Amino acid sequence: MTVRTPAVARKPRIGLVAGGLGAYWPQFPDLLPQLRRSAQRVTARLREFDAEVIDAGFISDAQEGAEAAEKLRAADCDLIVGFLTTYMTATMLVPVAQRGGAPVLMINLQPTPSMDHASFDTGQWLAYCGACPLPEMANAFERVGVPFRSVSGHLEDERAWQRIGRWIRAAGVRSVLRHGRHGLMGHLYPGMYDVSTDLTMVPAHLGGHVEVVEFDDLRVRVEQVADGELTAKLDETREVFDLADSVAEDDLRWAARVCVGLDRLVADFDLDSLAYYHRGLDGEIHERLGAGMILGSSLLTARGIPACGEYELRTSLAMLIADRLGAGGSFTELQALDFTAGAVEMGHDGPGHLAISERKPLLRGLGVYHGKRGWGVSVEFDVRHGPVTLLGVGQSRDGRYRLVAAEGEVVPGPHLEIGNTTSRVDFGCDPGEWTDAWSASGVGHHWALATGRLLPELRALSGLAGLDLVEVAV
């Protein structure tokens, strides 16, 4: 039986091939050893990015390039890095780009920031000549239909390594999407056209698998929760949250019981994300299960398995992307505009990403979930103050997915105390104008609110995943 490596744990596989023109080696005997040392340094630096590095070795001609391409194809890489140590012909790397089965990043990292022009001979200059073939590779890649991307710098150039790291992180997110298993439980919130999703479009545009599960799959697991498991989950809840006086003990115990069942469901179905909704009626078991999801979904999201309500599959994917970029990603929609303070208030009722809360999150008891059936406990907090990025997965008329993003800053200010996550975001412009521009992007009415400025990483992911990126700014 093959055991799957969960997307939450899988490291990106980075293939590496370094090379130069073999005609130089007999002409300049000291050149190849120097270039091999540079390649070893690149291998070491790549391994610092929490990635699995598959080194296909150093190539000197087109035949060796073809052999490296087969090695990397067999390794099922998420990104292939081609290190141009000196001049090399396009015939050496085109096979890697065509057959390697992964996006390719060309890197041109000369040994030091500049040459010693007074003392260098031809052989020493050639160790700095990685820039020479870069236009040739770009031209050849264009003509054979392979996307081209590159980073130029020197071996210890931290700016260049930051850019390389950005591509590696993007490759890691692409890998999560390609190998992920995304749960969808319940049914569409009635009337939400923008949320409705053709499940085939997920593997078509992102890869991975959508696992359709039933609330009855959760029900049977909740029924099996033992007293000791319930006690442990209640202890965890009281440690993670502050509890408002409005929290009823019976509601808290029910939410904790559902939480344990939800943990088991996610493990049994091997899920990397989950979107859910069930309306229910008159307090029957499925309504109570749907109403009891908030605690467990928040705890799952905090440990890297995004879970969100309203059957929002595409937003659970956006949350997964943000989380794998180390930025959290909390389920969010527009709430109100504060024209006095110049802020857009956004958040959501239900689950949130506890790991990016500005303060210790609060559990509040609610007798009514607005717009939904059921009652119980809900999560209240605001996202950590400072720079943030909004990320949604939109869908065009022809069915294609697109990333939609905007950067702003979460600022302090008043919040409603109604059991919602709420953040006040300043986009540096009139809140009304920003809201119009954001709405016109086609994002849908839910997205992930993530910490930090992610546009450079999202541009890299867009390039690797073949997704358009819409950047909203006013």
Side-chain angles (χ1 to χ4, degrees):
M1 177 180 177
T2 300
V3 178
R4 186 183 78 98
T5 300
V8 69
R10 187 181 190 274
K11 293 183 178 181
R13 292 196 184 112
I14 308 301
L16 173 65
V17 56
L21 187 65
Y24 294 150
W25 314 151
Q27 295 176 327
F28 308 101
D30 294 333
L31 178 58
L32 181 57
Q34 180 181 1
L35 300 183
R36 289 187 182 276
R37 289 193 297 271
S38 292
Q40 291 170 357
R41 178 58 178 154
V42 166
T43 301
R45 288 297 303 258
L46 289 177
R47 290 196 169 117
E48 294 176 6
F49 287 105
D50 194 29
E52 179 185 353
V53 179
I54 295 92
D55 192 342
F58 197 100
I59 62 174
S60 300
D61 55 35
Q63 182 178 357
E64 291 179 356
E67 293 170 356
E70 288 305 306
K71 291 179 184 177
L72 296 175
R73 182 194 59 77
D76 188 25
C77 297
D78 300 304
L79 179 71
I80 294 173
V81 176
F83 178 26
L84 307 175
T85 66
T86 185
Y87 177 73
M88 56 196 300
T89 63
T91 58
M92 298 168 65
L93 283 178
V94 163
V96 173
Q98 287 184 308
R99 305 175 201 168
V104 179
L105 170 67
M106 295 286 102
I107 62 172
N108 155 44
L109 302 177
Q110 62 188 41
T112 65
S114 60
M115 294 187 293
D116 183 351
H117 296 77
S119 64
F120 272 26
D121 59 19
T122 301
Q124 291 167 307
W125 154 60
L126 286 173
Y128 285 72
C129 201
C132 181
L134 201 59
E136 177 175 339
M137 300 301 167
N139 178 281
F141 281 24
E142 168 68 22
R143 291 163 70 185
V144 300
V146 173
F148 176 82
R149 54 194 68 86
S150 68
V151 172
S152 291
H154 60 86
L155 279 176
E156 306 304 332
D157 183 351
E158 292 306 320
R159 292 172 301 178
W161 282 109
Q162 286 176 7
R163 293 168 61 201
I164 293 169
R166 192 173 296 146
W167 286 110
I168 292 174
R169 285 189 293 274
V173 174
R174 178 176 177 267
S175 172
V176 166
L177 296 172
R178 288 176 65 215
H179 296 273
R181 289 173 53 84
H182 312 296
L184 193 59
M185 184 170 70
H187 61 81
L188 181 70
Y189 188 105
M192 287 186 179
Y193 277 164
D194 65 318
V195 171
S196 62
T197 298
D198 180 345
L199 303 190
T200 308
M201 293 299 99
V202 176
H205 297 305
L206 302 176
H209 167 75
V210 179
E211 182 72 16
V212 176
V213 296
E214 303 282 355
F215 261 86
D216 281 323
D217 292 317
L218 177 61
R219 174 183 58 79
V220 297
R221 288 164 175 81
V222 170
E223 291 170 350
Q224 295 167 357
V225 173
D227 290 343
E229 294 174 302
L230 177 59
T231 299
K233 187 60 68 174
L234 286 167
D235 291 343
E236 178 187 356
T237 299
R238 291 189 173 97
E239 181 180 347
V240 171
F241 293 90
D242 285 331
L243 271 61
D245 294 339
S246 58
V247 173
E249 182 65 20
D250 286 347
D251 292 345
L252 180 62
R253 293 180 67 83
W254 175 249
R257 184 175 294 276
V258 173
C259 185
V260 176
L262 187 58
D263 287 346
R264 192 169 295 162
L265 176 89
V266 166
D268 289 347
F269 283 94
D270 197 17
L271 301 180
D272 299 298
S273 68
L274 175 66
Y276 68 90
Y277 176 76
H278 186 84
R279 182 172 58 188
L281 187 65
D282 293 338
E284 50 83 37
I285 184 62
H286 299 94
E287 178 184 327
R288 293 291 287 131
L289 287 168
M293 290 282 292
I294 294 172
L295 173 62
S297 296
S298 297
L299 291 171
L300 278 174
T301 301
R303 75 170 199 247
I305 304 174
C308 68
E310 299 186 6
Y311 214 59
E312 248 294 19
L313 175 61
R314 293 199 309 276
T315 298
S316 66
L317 296 171
M319 292 165 64
L320 184 63
I321 291 170
D323 188 85
R324 294 309 181 271
L325 289 174
S330 198
F331 189 41
T332 304
E333 67 184 0
L334 293 172
Q335 293 178 327
L337 307 182
D338 188 337
F339 290 96
T340 303
V344 179
E345 297 182 55
M346 59 182 65
H348 212 283
D349 62 301
H353 200 309
L354 308 177
I356 60 171
S357 175
E358 170 68 14
R359 53 189 167 84
K360 190 173 184 179
L362 178 76
L363 274 185
R364 188 178 296 280
L366 298 177
V368 174
Y369 288 161
H370 72 271
K372 299 179 179 70
R373 303 287 304 186
W375 65 92
V377 297
S378 190
V379 173
E380 186 175 296
F381 68 80
D382 60 333
V383 166
R384 188 179 306 130
H385 297 179
V388 290
T389 301
L390 284 59
L391 173 63
V393 177
Q395 189 170 13
S396 64
R397 184 177 181 178
D398 64 3
R400 293 193 59 81
Y401 280 7
R402 63 172 67 136
L403 302 177
V404 184
E407 292 181 342
E409 182 172 356
V410 172
V411 295
H415 298 83
L416 294 175
E417 298 179 354
I418 58 173
N420 283 16
T421 63
T422 302
S423 298
R424 302 170 61 85
V425 187
D426 184 349
F427 293 98
C429 62
D430 176 78
E433 292 182 15
W434 181 87
T435 300
D436 290 336
W438 178 251
S439 300
S441 70
V443 66
H445 82 281
H446 298 122
W447 52 86
L449 180 60
T451 57
R453 303 200 181 279
L454 301 183
L455 282 179
E457 280 77 11
L458 294 174
R459 291 170 189 142
L461 176 61
S462 169
L464 292 185
L467 298 171
D468 290 337
L469 172 62
V470 179
E471 300 180 24
V472 177
V474 177

